[in-house]
Amino acid sequence: HRALKRQRQLRVAVLGSTRGTDLQAIIDNIHEPGSEDPSKINVCAVVSNRKKAYILQRATDHKIPSYFVSCKGPDGKVVSREDYDKKVEKALEPHAPDLILLIGYMRIVSGSFCQRWERRLLNVHPSLLPKYAGGMDTNVHEEVIKAGEKETGCTVHFVEEKVDAGEIVVQKACAVDEKETVSTLKAKVQKLEGEALIKAIEDFRLWKLGVNPLKA
């Protein structure tokens, strides 16, 4: 596989609505703007649809440009999904990301956004898809425990218009213990999510996901 050209780093943007625990794993392990090490990336921007989402503070703490993008227009009315995604892209435009990650992003992106970012838009889901598709966060872990599953994990996949239906890029699994609770299982899976995202970014960087990692 061809390695990323050395003239610049991979630029990765993140869309998130929650605490951004997975973002922290990326920051701690591979975010190093200006590094000569080709495996290091630049998390160039973080965008949230929630003004008080801790992911924004996390970005600020690490000097990463962060933006709250409201779902309301100048008239105070909620904008369409397509128009909201255009507002997100306007925020991202100055940073020219090569790849966008959805990390705990509590919005469904529009079909036109998916098309514009085809094979450059990845989501992490807290289950081994196709199992428990469509569920969110702790609801998924509850269902896994209720069903008596012996194994669960996480999935990084390409984002398509249909929720949780895109091509799978990375999966990581863990055992579900007999005395597992929603909180213990969430912590276990979250650790895997950070690892899976880092692996997916590396595969993208090394041309393994079927697209030139550098758009320019």
Side-chain angles (χ1 to χ4, degrees):
H1 292 285
R2 296 169 65 185
L4 182 67
K5 295 174 186 176
R6 292 299 295 272
Q7 73 265 28
R8 72 166 174 85
Q9 284 183 300
L10 194 71
R11 292 190 290 256
V12 179
V14 174
L15 310 185
S17 308
T18 54
R19 292 186 55 78
T21 305
D22 296 343
L23 171 60
Q24 191 65 52
I26 292 167
I27 290 169
D28 291 345
N29 288 280
I30 58 172
H31 171 65
E32 200 176 307
S35 173
E36 291 289 311
D37 180 347
S39 70
K40 302 298 182 185
I41 65 159
N42 178 11
V43 179
C44 60
V46 173
V47 172
S48 182
N49 61 314
R50 292 183 178 172
K51 199 171 192 174
K52 294 184 178 178
Y54 187 69
I55 196 168
L56 293 177
Q57 184 61 50
R58 203 182 287 277
T60 302
D61 290 346
H62 293 276
K63 299 181 172 59
I64 297 168
S66 60
Y67 305 90
F68 161 63
V69 176
S70 174
C71 63
K72 293 181 179 177
D75 58 1
K77 292 180 181 175
V78 175
V79 298
S80 69
R81 193 176 290 170
E82 287 77 11
D83 285 345
Y84 181 82
D85 288 344
K86 282 176 186 170
K87 288 172 72 175
V88 169
E89 287 186 284
K90 194 171 181 184
L92 294 178
E93 194 175 5
H95 306 285
D98 303 297
L99 177 67
I100 299 176
L101 307 178
L102 307 188
I103 296 178
Y105 193 48
M106 302 300 184
R107 284 186 62 89
I108 296 171
V109 294
S110 62
S112 52
F113 188 86
C114 293
Q115 285 163 14
R116 283 194 296 276
W117 291 93
E118 188 180 4
R119 300 193 80 81
R120 295 180 183 278
L121 187 60
L122 295 172
N123 180 54
V124 61
H125 184 78
S127 76
L128 295 172
L129 291 175
K131 285 187 171 184
Y132 306 100
M136 284 204 176
D137 198 27
T138 52
N139 294 344
V140 174
H141 305 309
E142 270 178 42
E143 291 301 316
V144 165
I145 291 168
K146 264 190 213 168
E149 298 280 4
K150 300 296 182 197
E151 184 182 64
T152 188
C154 69
T155 304
V156 176
H157 63 93
F158 284 117
V159 179
E160 295 179 359
E161 197 165 2
K162 189 178 176 188
V163 176
D164 296 335
E167 179 189 333
I168 291 169
V169 173
V170 180
Q171 285 190 313
K172 286 191 173 282
C174 62
V176 181
D177 298 331
E178 277 184 34
K179 294 181 180 177
E180 205 80 71
T181 66
V182 169
S183 58
T184 61
L185 193 55
K186 178 176 177 172
K188 202 185 275 188
V189 171
Q190 254 181 347
K191 183 175 182 298
L192 295 180
E193 287 174 12
E195 294 170 8
L197 282 165
I198 289 166
K199 174 74 166 67
I201 292 167
E202 180 71 354
D203 285 353
F204 180 83
R205 187 182 73 79
L206 295 174
W207 296 66
K208 292 180 181 178
L209 302 189
V211 67
N212 178 348
L214 296 180
K215 293 196 291 185

